[in-house]
Amino acid sequence: MSLSANDKATVKALWAKISPKAEDIGNEALSRMLYVYPQTKTYFSHWSDLTPGSAPVRKHGKKVVGGIGLAVEKIDDLFNGLLTLSELHAFQLRILSHNILVVLAMLFPDDFTPEAHLAMDKFFARVALALSDKYR
Amino acid sequence: MVEWTDFERTTIQDIFSKMNYDVVGQQALARCLIVYPWTQRYFGNFGNLYNAAAIMGNPMVAAHGKVVLHGLDRAVKNMDNIKAAYAELSVLHSEKLHLLGDCLTIVVAAQLGAGFTPEVQAAFQKFLAVVVSSLRRQYH
C-alpha cells in the first residue's frame, strides 16, 4: 500500500488546518494511549507522572506531534526522511495512531470526514513502516 | 466474567441513551467500508459501494448500520452477561469486527467532542472489546 497523490494532498490539507492545535492533539493522543492501553506505560517508566495531561506527557506529546509534522513534510520520501528518528516507535505507532485519529474526530468533527480518516490512516501506516525499516 | 466499575456502567448507559442510532449506525458502518475497503466483501449484495459518496448515500448501508447499533443494545442491556446475550446471534460476524468497533469509536468521539475524555474512551473501548470477543466466541 502506498500513498496516492490524493492521499498526500488530503493529509497535507488536514494537517495545515489542525496544526494550530498541535500541542493539544499531541497531549490528548498520548494521554489516551497511556490511559486506555496501560501496557504502553512500560516504555515511559522513567517519567515521574504518567497521568493524562501531566507535564512529562504534555512535553512528549509536543515532541510526538512535531515528529508527525516532520513526516507530513517528508511525505514524498518517508523512508529516507525519517532516518534520524528513533526506530523505537514503530511497534507502538499502531496504538498511538488509533488515539490520534480519535482525538482528531473529537476536536475536528467536521473536517475529519471518512475520506480524511482514510488518508490519515494510510499515512500513519506508511510512517510506521518507514520507522521500522531499520529494525533488521 | 467481566467486571464493570460504576463509572463504566454509567458511561455506557449514558452514551447509548443519548445516541441517535440511525445517524451513528450509518456513519460508523459507512466509515468502516470507506476506510477499510476490504470489508466491502461481506456486503456484495449492497449495490453501489464504488466510492465514498456512494457508500455514504447507500440506503442498505444506512439500514444495516441501524441493525448493528440495535444489536449493540442487547449488550448494553445485559452488561453482566454479554456472552449469553449473543448466544443465538448469527455466526456470520467476521474476525475483522474490531475494525467496525474502531470506526464506531471515532464516530462517537466526533459526537461527544470534549465529552469523550480518556476515561470515557477507555470504558467505551472496553465495552466494544467484550462485545467483539463474545461474537467471535461462536466460531469455536
Side-chain angles (χ1 to χ4, degrees), chain B residues 16-131:
Chain B
F16 280 88
S17 69
K18 297 190 176 127
M19 195 189 284
N20 182 334
Y21 281 36
D22 292 353
V23 169
V24 172
Q26 182 265 336
Q27 285 193 8
L29 184 58
R31 200 169 272 258
C32 188
L33 295 169
I34 292 167
V35 180
Y36 309 107
W38 51 91
T39 57
Q40 292 169 23
R41 78 171 185 88
Y42 297 100
F43 304 102
N45 61 333
F46 271 32
N48 187 358
L49 297 176
Y50 300 132
N51 53 46
I55 293 170
M56 291 297 282
N58 186 310
M60 289 183 83
V61 171
H64 196 69
K66 200 170 157 186
V67 164
V68 168
L69 264 281
H70 283 291
L72 272 179
D73 236 4
R74 225 185 281 196
V76 175
K77 295 188 163 79
N78 293 286
M79 281 178 75
D80 287 311
N81 202 347
I82 292 182
K83 201 166 74 173
Y86 289 131
E88 346 94 40
L89 202 62
S90 168
V91 165
L92 269 178
H93 296 87
S94 139
E95 294 272 297
K96 298 293 177 193
L97 203 59
H98 64 280
L99 293 178
L100 180 58
D102 282 353
C103 287
L104 188 56
T105 302
I106 299 272
V107 170
V108 171
Q111 299 263 315
L112 298 182
F116 202 61
T117 62
E119 294 83 354
V120 169
Q121 180 181 343
F124 193 69
Q125 290 196 200
K126 178 177 169 178
F127 173 73
L128 288 180
V130 173
V131 168

Side-chain angles (χ1 to χ4, degrees), chain A residues 28 31-32 35-37 52 94 98-99 101-103 105-107 109 112-115 117-118 121, chain B residues 31 34-37 52-53 56 99 102-103 105-106 109-110 113-114 116-119 121-122 125:
Chain A
E28 291 277 357
S31 293
R32 279 145 206 291
Y35 187 87
V36 181
Y37 304 90
R94 179 84 192 87
H98 168 74
N99 287 293
L101 296 175
V102 168
V103 171
M106 243 180 71
L107 296 177
F112 199 59
T113 59
E115 293 90 333
H117 178 169
L118 171 59
D121 198 43
Chain B
R31 200 169 272 258
I34 292 167
V35 180
Y36 309 107
M56 291 297 282
L99 293 178
D102 282 353
C103 287
T105 302
I106 299 272
F116 202 61
T117 62
E119 294 83 354
Q121 180 181 343
Q125 290 196 200

Side-chain angles (χ1 to χ4, degrees), chain A residues 5-26:
Chain A
N6 189 44
D7 290 327
K8 292 182 192 177
T10 304
V11 170
K12 285 187 180 161
L14 185 66
W15 198 256
K17 195 151 193 194
I18 69 184
S19 45
K21 285 224 167 159
E23 250 189 81
D24 283 337
I25 295 172

